Amino acid sequence: DECGLVNVNEVGVANDLKSAVVFVGIVGDDTQRKKAEAKLKKERTYFQQLMARELVLRYTPKIKFRVDDSIEAGNRVLEIIDELEAERE
């Protein structure tokens, strides 16, 4: 796919419910990651409109997307552990 695989890892909402940060993981090569980031930024207002239809709040939270590399970092740590174990054998 042109944008890779995008998943939502976490959502943080401000105490006043006026803003939210959506932490997303993007699986794919650098080109796919850049396209996914650009697409999320471009479609931010569309996602806010979807939320406005579903949520019963005085204000619809303003969304900001942040790329979360924690899953990739965790996978890299597991790869290193596997490599070290393979060297021991």
Side-chain angles (χ1 to χ4, degrees):
D1 189 49
E2 70 178 38
C3 291
L5 175 66
V6 179
N7 60 301
V8 175
N9 295 340
E10 184 179 348
V11 177
V13 181
N15 289 337
D16 62 3
L17 303 177
K18 290 185 180 181
S19 63
V21 179
V22 180
F23 295 93
V24 296
I26 303 170
V27 179
D29 60 29
D30 286 340
T31 303
Q32 290 173 320
R33 290 172 58 89
K34 288 177 184 175
K35 285 182 181 180
E37 287 182 61
K39 185 81 166 176
L40 287 170
K41 185 176 181 179
K42 179 181 175 188
E43 299 295 335
R44 181 183 60 81
T45 54
Y46 171 72
F47 288 114
Q48 284 180 211
Q49 290 170 356
L50 289 176
M51 283 189 353
R53 288 185 215 149
E54 297 296 324
L55 297 175
V56 181
L57 294 172
R58 186 174 200 155
Y59 303 100
T60 301
K62 183 175 180 179
I63 301 172
K64 291 181 184 177
F65 290 100
R66 297 279 188 258
V67 176
D68 180 8
D69 294 328
S70 62
I71 291 176
E72 281 187 17
N75 286 340
R76 180 64 187 136
V77 169
L78 293 174
E79 288 174 11
I80 292 170
I81 291 171
D82 289 343
E83 290 171 10
L84 292 172
E85 287 178 352
E87 289 176 9
R88 281 185 164 178
E89 296 172 357

